[in-house]
């Protein structure tokens, strides 16, 4: 609930609205516990988070720093999304053993595959250290001086707080710098691939269905955590053994129904729930339209080439999906913010907050916050817009410029750190580019370059443009770059970087592709970034004070949760359908029938394995069906974002019922404004996971590890 629907200060909030928020699990006592029980939860807050005893938090794992996962057996079996483990599945794949195409299933521990560099992190303890971190700071200090003291205090707390040798202390900020929490964490480094369905199940629907409901995707993968003989973290070793977790999640076979309680436990990445209306208006009217326009242009070109050339279709499939992912999100986000009148609601909330300031005599302390926001966001808008054009053009959508910018950074490394740093980075860059160029087409990139450079020259404020961009002939520049630059293929790129640093620098300055990237980067770092960063620092200070005002002027039971920052959070709600438009209503559960309805033989997005078709035709569903149908996905009102991928969906009793993997298109604005009528997270039904593991893969060895329960009947069992 954004700005946390400051309706909370002045209006009664209906129970249904009390489902947004990403809450710190160690602070659920009181209001949150009451709300959760009102929604149907049968557990206590202590069942969810307990330092001294086993609790749900001991089964929740930060997977490789970007996704969430959960323990589902007492032998270290870990469940996450297929897309979270995709790169590991890909690395183990070959023409002879294509696990992306056919899936992978280890039928014994010896068959499980190691993944160097992959990590699994548990939260051992969460502690409030705000007083220690803010010690020595004053309200009259500059933001830069204040941050210097805070960073020094964080270093002291991290260094001096107790932990085991194999653990780590981390301090994270909450409420825009009004609260600091210490996390004691334990990270395991021997993580092995156990099972993954073929992409035709794990990525069913692919780009077309991304951010969309109804959904029919079996987005899951299985790994196992290994530990040393003392059950502690260790580097990979054949002597390591499966980890014994403090807690693992029993799995419910009872399924879900509309209005059932659901809780999603995980590590959401980033949200901005408390932006003032002027900032949100800028996103809706200026920033997102620019982002969308740039990617519209790039996607149209790439799509045309992919449709005409099968080889380019293969080369660009992953890149197209990456570009389209946030393009689609930004469109849905803008639609949702507009449809829910988020800007107007925030303006109403700000008027109410101003009245509350006057009522409590806080004008001197907080009265200038909103006018200052107006001033700073007006000042930063052209810088923010220019920054987005630079990021989208030079770093994300024109591959030649992205590569040239990496070489530009190589030059900075040489100038700042010397020849050895240059040599090390140069060697790493060449090694990484060997793979990148295999999926590169200069003719595709050339057309993208020409269109986006023209957009850049037209849309970016003239004062921020490189001098070389003024009165530029885009067509002639494009022809020169893609005819004469060494960045158009790997062999010439590698030759460009051969020699000592001075030799390479001299060659670079003559390369037309490098010249464009250099001019754009120089202009960005001299004309845009300094003022943008200075204004952002001032805005950050305002956000901290604004957050303080919200916390201070709101009633004790106000539902103010901290923005997501990749730390452990709990969000709760209910299984619930929704109505995205007039005369349209979406049911909350999809089934295998829908997979078959979407089935297109040979299509990379909607093909279906023959064995799955056979199981469907024979209705060989085992104990995983309900009313003769296999459930696949379901939606709920849980407030999620990136980083919640792989998070467990947990029922009222603490059992696993699903696996979070996406949000609906109309509700993607929940990073800024949570609307309970539109915001829905999408989850894989755990019974579909079990059905695929058991009936499709025949990996009954994995089913046997799990604890399968019927909470509504009070029974538990293991697979026979």
């Amino acid at each position: 609930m954004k700005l946390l629907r400051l309706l909370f200060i002045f209006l009664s909030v209906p129970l249904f609205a009390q489902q947004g928020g990403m809450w710190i699990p160690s602070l659920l006592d009181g209001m949150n516990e009451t709300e959760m029980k009102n929604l149907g939860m049968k557990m206590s807050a202590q069942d969810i988070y307990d330092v001294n005893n086993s609790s749900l938090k001991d089964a929740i794992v930060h997977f490789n720093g970007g996704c969430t996962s959960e323990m589902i057996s007492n032998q270290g079996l870990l469940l996450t999304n297929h897309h979270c483990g995709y790169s590991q599945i890909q690395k183990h794949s070959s023409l002879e053993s294509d696990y992306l195409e056919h899936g992978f299933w280890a039928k014994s521990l010896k068959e499980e595959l190691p993944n160097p560099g992959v990590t699994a992190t548990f939260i051992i303890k969460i502690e409030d250290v705000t007083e220690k971190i803010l010690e020595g700071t004053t309200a009259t200090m500059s933001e830069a001086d204040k941050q210097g003291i805070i960073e020094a205090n964080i270093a002291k707390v991290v260094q001096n707080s107790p932990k085991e040798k194999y653990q780590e202390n981390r301090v994270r900020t909450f409420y825009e710098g009004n609260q600091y929490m210490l996390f004691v964490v334990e990270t395991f480094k021997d993580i092995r691939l156990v099972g993954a369905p073929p992409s035709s199940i794990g990525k069913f629907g692919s780009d077309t269905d991304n951010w969309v409901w109804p959904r029919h995707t079996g987005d899951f993968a299985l790994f196992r955590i290994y530990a040393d003989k003392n059950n502690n973290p260790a580097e990979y070793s054949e002597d390591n053994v499966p980890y014994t977790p403090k807690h693992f999640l029993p799995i419910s076979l009872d399924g879900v129904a509309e209005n059932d309680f659901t809780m999603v436990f995980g590590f959401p990445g980033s949200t901005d729930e408390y932006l003032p209306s002027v900032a949100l208006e800028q996103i809706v009217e200026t920033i997102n339209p620019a982002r969308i326009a740039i990617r519209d242009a790039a996607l149209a070109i790439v799509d045309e080439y992919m449709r005409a050339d099968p080889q380019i279709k293969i080369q660009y499939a992953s890149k197209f999906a990456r570009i389209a992912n946030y393009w689609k999100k930004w469109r849905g986000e803008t639609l949702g913010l507009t449809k829910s009148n988020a800007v107007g609601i925030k303006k109403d909330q700000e008027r109410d907050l101003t009245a509350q300031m006057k009522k409590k005599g806080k004008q001197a302390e907080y009265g200038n916050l909103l006018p200052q926001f107006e001033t700073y966001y007006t000042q930063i808008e052209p810088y923010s817009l220019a920054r987005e054009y630079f990021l989208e053009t030079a770093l994300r959508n024109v591959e030649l410029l992205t590569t040239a910018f990496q070489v530009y950074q190589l030059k900075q490394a040489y100038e700042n750190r010397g020849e050895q740093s240059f040599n090390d980075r140069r060697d790493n860059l060449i090694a990484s580019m060997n793979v990148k160029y295999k999926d590169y087409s200069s003719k595709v990139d050339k057309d993208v370059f020409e269109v986006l450079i023209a957009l850049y020259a037209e849309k970016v404020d003239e004062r921020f443009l490189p001098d070389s961009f003024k009165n530029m002939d885009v067509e002639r520049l494009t022809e020169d770059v893609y005819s004469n630059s060494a960045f158009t293929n790997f062999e010439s790129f590698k030759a460009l970087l051969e020699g000592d640093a001075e030799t390479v620098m001299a060659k670079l300055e003559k390369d037309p592709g490098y010249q464009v990237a250099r001019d754009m980067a120089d202009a960005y770092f001299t004309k845009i970034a300094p003022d943008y960063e200075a204004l952002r620092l001032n805005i950050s200070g305002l956000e901290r004070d604004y957050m303080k005002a919200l916390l201070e002027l709101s009633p004790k039971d106000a539902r103010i949760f901290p923005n997501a920052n990749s730390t452990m959070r709990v969000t709760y709600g209910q299984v619930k359908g929704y109505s995205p438009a007039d005369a349209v209503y979406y049911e909350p559960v999809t089934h295998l029938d829908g997979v078959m309805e979407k089935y297109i033989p040979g299509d990379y997005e909607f093909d279906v394995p023959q064995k799955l078709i056979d199981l469907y035709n024979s209705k060989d569903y085992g104990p995983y069906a309900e009313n003769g149908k296999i459930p696949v996905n379901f939606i709920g009102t849980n407030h999620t974002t990136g980083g919640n991928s792989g998070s467990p969906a947990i029922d009222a009793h603490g059992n696993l019922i699903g696996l979070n993997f996406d949000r609906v298109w109309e509700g993607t604005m929940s990073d800024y404004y949570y609307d309970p009528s539109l915001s829905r997270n999408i989850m894989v039904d755990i019974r579909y996971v079990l059905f695929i593991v058991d009936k499709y893969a025949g990996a009954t060895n994995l089913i046997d590890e799990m604890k399968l329960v019927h909470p509504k009947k009070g029974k538990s069992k293991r697979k026979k």
Side-chain angles (χ1 to χ4, degrees):
M1 332 223 94
K2 298 323 183 231
L3 205 39
L4 236 7
R5 338 188 95 56
L6 268 180
L7 298 174
F8 52 35
I9 297 180
F10 308 99
L11 305 175
S12 61
V13 184
L15 179 63
F16 181 74
Q18 295 178 358
Q19 295 181 43
M22 300 173 178
W23 306 93
I24 302 172
S26 58
L27 304 176
L28 295 176
D29 286 333
M31 179 199 72
N32 292 121
E33 185 175 22
T34 299
E35 285 184 356
M36 294 164 87
K37 289 186 174 180
N38 286 341
L39 290 169
M41 185 180 76
K42 306 302 180 184
M43 300 176 287
S44 68
Q46 194 170 7
D47 292 328
I48 297 169
Y49 177 92
D50 193 329
V51 173
N52 300 314
N53 300 290
S54 170
S55 60
L56 286 182
K57 65 104 172 155
D58 298 312
I60 314 303
V61 190
H62 205 180
F63 183 78
N64 212 26
C67 285
T68 303
S69 56
E70 50 276 353
M71 305 309 303
I72 58 170
S73 86
N74 61 2
Q75 299 173 54
L77 193 59
L78 179 150
L79 178 66
T80 190
N81 284 153
H82 185 273
H83 76 260
C84 293
Y86 191 83
S87 63
Q88 284 71 50
I89 303 166
Q90 184 179 44
K91 287 174 184 176
H92 288 297
S93 295
S94 64
L95 289 176
E96 295 75 23
S97 301
D98 190 343
Y99 300 137
L100 290 175
E101 177 73 19
H102 305 295
F104 169 78
W105 307 98
K107 300 300 176 66
S108 68
L109 296 180
K110 290 182 179 181
E111 295 180 8
E112 296 175 357
L113 303 176
N115 300 280
V118 175
T119 59
T121 300
F122 291 85
I123 304 300
I124 306 303
K125 179 183 179 182
I126 306 174
E127 179 184 344
D128 192 317
V129 291
T130 305
E131 289 187 10
K132 295 178 182 178
I133 302 303
L134 296 181
E135 184 179 354
T137 63
T138 66
T140 57
M141 283 181 171
S142 69
E143 285 302 316
D145 289 343
K146 188 176 294 185
Q147 285 305 310
I149 292 175
I150 286 172
E151 288 172 10
N153 289 341
I154 288 174
K156 291 178 185 176
V157 169
V158 168
Q159 179 67 31
N160 299 327
S161 298
K163 65 177 181 62
E164 300 294 338
K165 290 182 178 179
Y166 49 82
Q167 295 173 343
E168 179 186 353
N169 289 329
R170 300 175 182 174
V171 173
R172 298 290 183 264
T173 181
F174 295 80
Y175 294 111
E176 278 59 61
N178 285 283
Q179 184 181 41
Y180 290 84
M181 306 291 281
L182 170 69
F183 291 80
V184 182
V185 306
E186 203 167 282
T187 298
F188 289 80
K189 300 179 180 180
D190 186 352
I191 316 299
R192 305 184 195 180
L193 178 63
V194 174
S199 294
S200 52
I201 292 174
K203 289 190 65 170
F204 184 81
S206 194
D207 304 324
T208 298
D209 276 2
N210 190 26
W211 304 108
V212 167
W213 186 258
R215 198 72 175 272
H216 300 85
T217 310
D219 194 351
F220 77 93
L222 292 157
F223 291 78
R224 193 183 306 278
I225 300 176
Y226 280 74
D228 66 17
K229 62 182 180 180
N230 297 315
N231 207 42
N232 293 326
E235 297 289 344
Y236 170 80
S237 170
E238 292 184 0
D239 296 329
N240 287 345
V241 296
Y243 170 65
T244 303
K246 295 176 184 175
H247 184 75
F248 67 91
L249 299 177
I251 297 174
S252 172
L253 291 176
D254 286 348
V256 298
E258 185 113 19
N259 297 320
D260 276 359
F261 172 83
T262 57
M263 179 175 75
V264 171
F265 211 156
F267 295 86
S270 178
T271 56
D272 255 323
E273 308 288 344
Y274 304 99
L275 287 177
S277 60
V278 63
L280 200 60
E281 194 167 32
Q282 193 172 102
I283 289 169
V284 171
E285 297 184 358
T286 303
I287 302 301
N288 273 1
R291 291 166 167 169
I292 293 166
I294 296 167
R295 295 204 180 191
D296 269 340
L299 286 167
I301 293 165
V302 176
D303 180 65
E304 185 176 351
Y305 274 103
M306 289 176 68
R307 290 180 184 278
D309 189 329
Q311 177 62 30
I312 290 175
K313 181 178 180 181
I314 294 171
Q315 288 179 307
Y316 277 76
S318 178
K319 288 182 280 192
F320 187 90
R322 173 183 56 78
I323 297 169
N325 184 42
Y326 264 75
W327 166 79
K328 197 169 186 178
K329 176 185 183 291
W330 290 326
R331 291 171 63 232
E333 185 176 86
T334 300
L335 175 67
L337 290 170
T338 303
K339 182 179 176 65
S340 61
N341 189 30
V343 172
I345 290 173
K346 280 187 179 280
K347 287 181 178 179
D348 290 342
Q349 294 167 348
E350 289 164 1
R351 281 191 286 270
D352 290 339
L353 182 63
T354 300
Q356 195 74 353
M357 290 176 191
K358 293 178 180 178
K359 179 180 178 181
K360 296 191 176 181
K362 291 289 183 177
Q363 300 99 312
E365 188 172 356
Y366 301 127
N368 287 328
L369 289 175
L370 291 171
Q372 284 180 305
F373 271 133
E374 192 79 36
T375 297
Y376 282 132
Y377 273 102
T378 299
Q379 291 175 354
I380 204 172
E381 181 170 310
Y383 295 95
S384 296
L385 186 61
R387 179 175 181 270
E388 289 298 328
Y389 271 100
F390 175 76
L391 295 176
E392 286 294 313
T393 303
L395 303 189
R396 293 173 183 159
N397 292 292
V398 180
E399 293 182 87
L400 182 144
L401 292 179
T402 302
T403 303
F405 181 76
Q406 290 179 277
V407 176
Y408 175 87
Q409 291 177 306
L410 182 64
K411 179 183 176 183
Q412 312 308 307
Y414 169 60
E415 292 175 348
N416 295 325
R417 299 179 186 175
E419 185 93 23
Q420 186 59 51
S421 178
F422 169 86
N423 290 335
D424 292 343
R425 290 194 176 203
R426 185 255 309 275
D427 294 345
N428 291 334
L429 183 59
I430 291 175
S432 66
M433 287 299 158
N434 187 26
V435 176
K436 178 179 176 181
Y437 273 101
K438 290 178 181 177
D439 290 330
Y440 176 73
S441 167
S442 61
K443 64 181 181 181
V444 176
D445 202 44
K446 178 182 178 181
D447 285 357
V448 175
F449 175 96
E450 183 171 355
V451 171
L452 294 198
I453 286 294
L455 263 178
Y456 194 91
E458 176 190 353
K459 299 296 185 181
V460 173
D461 192 310
E462 186 175 352
R463 60 188 158 144
F464 302 139
L465 289 174
D467 291 339
S468 59
F469 274 44
K470 296 170 184 176
N471 302 315
M472 173 178 57
D473 185 328
V474 175
E475 186 175 346
R476 179 178 296 177
L477 173 67
T478 303
E479 190 60 40
D480 181 33
V481 168
Y482 284 84
S483 296
N484 300 309
S485 175
F487 288 92
T488 56
N489 67 79
F490 179 66
E491 292 306 319
S492 59
F493 167 78
K494 188 167 63 171
L496 179 68
L497 296 187
E498 289 176 352
D500 60 28
E502 288 297 333
T503 300
V504 173
M505 294 304 112
K507 288 191 287 185
L508 284 175
E509 293 302 324
K510 298 176 182 178
D511 187 278
Y514 179 79
Q515 290 168 3
V516 175
R518 176 203 62 199
D519 291 351
M520 293 178 73
D522 284 347
Y524 175 76
F525 288 116
T526 58
K527 299 178 179 182
I528 301 170
D531 287 337
Y532 174 83
E533 296 299 336
L535 288 165
R536 275 305 319 167
L537 186 62
N538 289 329
I539 289 172
S540 294
L542 283 181
E543 289 173 340
R544 181 194 61 244
D545 294 341
Y546 189 47
M547 192 75 247
K548 183 181 178 185
L550 290 177
L551 292 167
E552 183 178 331
L553 297 176
S554 303
K556 291 182 179 180
D557 61 349
R559 307 187 71 259
I560 306 180
F561 60 92
N563 276 318
N565 60 358
S566 295
T567 59
M568 179 178 272
R569 303 294 180 88
V570 167
T571 179
Y572 49 87
Q574 295 174 305
V575 175
K576 200 173 281 287
Y578 74 111
S579 179
D582 182 47
V584 176
Y585 179 77
Y586 286 135
E587 297 288 341
V589 180
T590 62
H591 300 85
L592 188 55
D593 304 56
V595 174
M596 299 308 163
E597 290 168 3
K598 291 180 177 180
Y599 170 43
I600 303 175
D603 186 273
Y604 82 98
E605 293 184 301
F606 295 103
D607 203 357
V608 174
Q610 184 60 49
K611 185 168 184 180
L612 188 61
I613 296 173
D614 294 342
L615 289 167
Y616 175 75
N617 289 334
S618 67
K619 299 297 183 282
D620 185 8
Y621 297 154
Y624 312 116
E626 183 174 5
N627 298 322
K629 301 171 76 173
I630 283 287
V632 176
N633 295 155
F634 66 97
I635 53 175
T637 59
N638 305 283
H639 190 174
T640 61
T641 189
N644 276 123
S645 291
S647 291
I650 298 171
D651 71 6
H653 305 275
N655 304 306
L656 185 65
I657 53 173
L659 186 65
N660 184 80
F661 71 98
D662 205 354
R663 285 176 285 171
V664 302
W665 192 55
E666 300 86 356
T668 52
M669 85 293 190
S670 63
D671 286 350
Y672 299 111
Y673 181 80
Y674 174 88
D675 184 335
S677 69
L678 291 175
S679 297
R680 296 290 183 274
N681 67 309
I682 306 176
M683 297 157 276
V684 186
D685 194 298
I686 196 62
R687 292 170 296 175
Y688 189 56
V689 173
L690 296 174
F691 165 70
I692 296 297
V693 173
D694 186 349
K695 292 295 182 176
Y696 177 86
T700 55
N701 57 305
L702 301 178
I703 300 292
D704 290 340
E705 285 188 44
M706 306 172 196
K707 182 179 180 181
L708 308 182
V709 301
H710 286 280
K712 295 175 182 178
K713 302 175 183 177
K715 296 180 180 180
S716 68
K717 67 175 183 178
R718 292 187 184 274
K719 170 71 179 176
K720 299 298 185 184

